Amino acid sequence: MFGIYLKRELGRRKKAALVIAMGLALGIALVITVNSVSAGMNQAQDKVLKSLYGLGTDMTVTKAQSAPKAGSSQGPSFKFGATSSSSTSQSTDRVNTQGGQALASSLVTKVGSQKGVSAAVGALTLNVTKVDGSFTQGKAKSSTTSGSSGSSQQGGPGGGGGTSSTGAPQVQGGGANFNVNSYSVAGIDVTDQTLGPLSTSKITTGKTFTTAQTNAKVAVISKSYAKTKKYKVGSTFKISSTKFTVIGIATPNSSESTIDVYVPLKQAQTLGDSKNKVTTIYVKATDSKQISTVKTTIQKNISGTTVTTSADLASTVSGSLSTASNLATSVGKWLSIAVLIAAFLVAALLTSSAVSRRVREFGTLKALGWPSRKVTRQVVGESMVNGLIGGGLGIALGLLAAYTVTAISPKLTAQLGSTSTGGGGGMGSGPGGGQGGPGQQATSNTLEIALNAPVSLTTIALAVGLAVAGGLIAGAFGGWRASRLRPADALRRVE
């Protein structure tokens, strides 16, 4: 009886049921869209942080660069030997540590022994500025001038002839033609490559380091750097007269890496004249929920260091990714809540209006012996069906909107606050720092991320719950109105 009557009444009021369902559908679709876009924003931010920190890395430990001494020169210095040849090729590499003040390698073990730390590895980041070119010596030429004697010229008979003099010599021609090339080198702990700069990349050609190559003269280079220099597996190149052999080419997993060359840590320490030194310690916590506690422990037990977590780094992300994320989090969520509330209110008002138009019907049913709870159940049942229909339409619209965003994949940029390698080793410095000219390198990490809008099962479950809630709210309001009707009063009213 209940089902037959429900089907008949919904069939009689198709337009009203469709309006209620569409109102709920729009609100639910907006909630799904905002939630999926917000999830995509979080994924994009995770990609940015992982590209800088490394997969599985929870925090980094660095040390701020000490202030330069008074009178000390911070600029680049290149020295070339003088030769007597007219044209001489010259080449030199200037290697500087990058990313703050160097830390003792022993601190890696100390950090790894702290409570809550699962693993810790050290890395040394260098900036290599290569200058090569040639000098061309100029040629000195002297000029001669001539003149004639006047009547006052003294001398014997016939002594009135012309004279000539030699001027100061002048250098003509010569000069210098030099190229400057700057690239970044990361020395990594080859015994544990799951943390650190190389963990953000995948070896697509060749192979990675073995645990036995702790001091081998081998290198893994980034795909972009290999393309620029036309290197391939087996190619050789020199850094400060040390020849390295390319054994692998790495492609970033999530975004463009700013490290060009990866070498074993000991080789990097030799190149940078930083024996037993590292610039960054990468740390993985035993429990991701205790990262802030581990950070406090490290700062307390190892003074003078700066501990940067992924949350700290996320707060420095700017650009369109940050702007869009803030809009999705604040404006988008509040807008979806407002639309959802409006949809619920419209459904409740339309259901109540429908009850008012069915006064004689409900009055007759009560006169025939229907109790108020049965009338209320009938109204709630109709509203629940409307809510489920609206939920189905809303889920379909929300999935369509999320699929459209994923198909378009709008590009967002993420940029970290600029620092300099001559300054503090705070956020944004260290491995992952950008390249600049010689001297103090400007760290500018600008990454381009494609936005996706994944829809999780949790979001679908939320949509179903909202559909049921919308139906219950509308049904409860309309059922309350219907239950208050008195048969005698209802029958006296005319539609």
Side-chain angles (χ1 to χ4, degrees):
M1 180 67 180
F2 173 76
I4 297 174
Y5 188 57
L6 179 66
K7 181 180 179 180
R8 191 194 71 180
E9 291 303 316
L10 288 174
R12 288 177 54 194
R13 296 173 176 81
K14 291 180 180 179
K15 291 184 179 180
L18 185 61
V19 170
I20 295 173
M22 286 302 300
L24 292 173
L26 291 176
I28 292 170
L30 185 59
V31 171
I32 292 176
T33 304
V34 171
N35 273 275
S36 59
V37 170
S38 296
M41 297 293 180
N42 292 331
Q43 287 185 358
Q45 286 186 333
D46 289 341
K47 287 182 180 180
V48 172
L49 299 181
K50 287 178 180 179
S51 68
L52 297 170
Y53 266 16
L55 301 175
T57 303
D58 294 319
M59 66 194 78
T60 58
V61 180
T62 56
K63 188 174 184 179
Q65 189 80 357
S66 58
K69 296 181 180 179
S72 62
S73 175
Q74 295 295 312
S77 176
F78 300 100
K79 297 181 180 180
F80 299 99
T83 61
S84 58
S85 59
S86 59
S87 180
T88 303
S89 296
Q90 302 278 4
S91 179
T92 186
D93 289 340
R94 183 174 185 268
V95 182
N96 290 322
T97 57
Q98 182 179 1
Q101 188 175 346
L103 302 165
S105 297
S106 58
L107 283 180
V108 178
T109 304
K110 188 174 181 180
V111 170
S113 64
Q114 299 299 308
K115 183 179 180 181
V117 174
S118 173
V121 298
L124 181 69
T125 310
L126 305 173
N127 182 268
V128 181
T129 305
K130 185 178 184 62
V131 179
D132 58 355
S134 61
F135 292 106
T136 302
Q137 294 181 344
K139 294 182 179 180
K141 293 184 179 181
S142 59
S143 60
T144 57
T145 58
S146 61
S148 59
S149 58
S151 58
S152 61
Q153 189 175 15
Q154 299 179 359
T163 62
S164 63
S165 62
T166 301
Q170 297 180 349
V171 178
Q172 298 180 359
N177 183 17
F178 282 85
N179 294 320
V180 179
N181 176 36
S182 181
Y183 59 96
S184 58
V185 178
I188 66 170
D189 186 350
V190 298
T191 62
D192 187 356
Q193 300 177 45
T194 58
L195 291 176
L198 190 55
S199 64
T200 64
S201 300
K202 180 181 180 181
I203 304 298
T204 52
T205 306
K207 58 184 179 181
T208 188
F209 305 101
T210 65
T211 55
Q213 294 176 319
T214 55
N215 199 24
K217 296 177 182 178
V218 292
V220 173
I221 59 177
S222 67
K223 183 179 179 180
S224 58
Y225 189 70
K227 184 177 180 180
T228 301
K229 293 297 182 180
K230 297 182 180 179
Y231 289 154
K232 58 183 180 180
V233 174
S235 299
T236 60
F237 63 95
K238 287 185 177 181
I239 304 177
S240 293
S241 72
T242 301
K243 183 183 287 187
F244 289 89
T245 302
V246 178
I247 62 171
I249 296 175
T251 302
N253 289 328
S254 56
S255 57
E256 188 65 24
S257 174
T258 55
I259 297 296
D260 299 310
V261 179
Y262 303 89
V263 298
L265 179 57
K266 288 186 178 180
Q267 284 294 327
Q269 291 170 338
T270 301
L271 292 173
D273 194 21
S274 302
K275 185 178 180 180
N276 297 325
K277 297 288 185 180
V278 296
T279 51
T280 307
I281 301 174
Y282 292 83
V283 182
K284 182 179 181 180
T286 55
D287 185 357
S288 60
K289 297 180 180 179
Q290 300 297 323
I291 291 177
S292 59
T293 303
V294 177
K295 173 183 177 179
T296 303
T297 301
I298 295 175
Q299 288 178 325
K300 179 181 178 181
N301 297 334
I302 305 175
S303 59
T305 58
T306 301
V307 182
T308 309
T309 66
S310 55
D312 297 330
L313 194 60
S315 64
T316 69
V317 175
S318 59
S320 60
L321 173 61
S322 177
T323 303
S325 179
N326 291 335
L327 286 174
T329 302
S330 55
V331 178
K333 286 189 176 181
W334 283 112
L335 178 62
S336 62
I337 291 173
V339 172
L340 194 62
I341 292 175
F344 284 176
L345 289 177
V346 168
L349 290 175
L350 289 175
T351 302
S352 177
S353 176
V355 170
S356 298
R357 290 194 297 271
R358 298 166 66 185
V359 169
R360 293 193 64 185
E361 174 189 339
F362 292 135
T364 303
L365 291 173
K366 282 193 171 187
L368 293 174
W370 276 38
S372 296
R373 66 176 183 277
K374 199 170 183 178
V375 174
T376 302
R377 186 183 67 173
Q378 184 68 38
V379 176
V380 172
E382 294 175 9
S383 298
M384 284 294 298
V385 173
N386 291 335
L388 292 176
I389 294 173
L393 292 174
I395 292 173
L397 291 174
L399 291 176
L400 179 62
Y403 175 79
T404 302
V405 172
T406 302
I408 296 174
S409 294
K411 302 293 184 181
L412 299 176
T413 58
Q415 183 174 5
L416 291 175
S418 297
T419 60
S420 62
T421 61
M427 304 172 198
S429 59
Q435 301 175 34
Q440 293 189 344
Q441 310 294 326
T443 301
S444 180
N445 299 313
T446 301
L447 305 174
E448 192 175 77
I449 305 293
L451 177 64
N452 295 320
V455 181
S456 64
L457 292 177
T458 304
T459 303
I460 298 297
L462 175 63
V464 174
L466 291 175
V468 173
L472 287 175
I473 291 173
F477 195 76
W480 175 78
R481 287 285 306 273
S483 65
R484 290 175 60 85
L485 293 175
R486 295 170 58 187
D489 296 336
L491 292 174
R492 282 198 296 266
R493 295 184 58 178
V494 180
E495 292 183 348

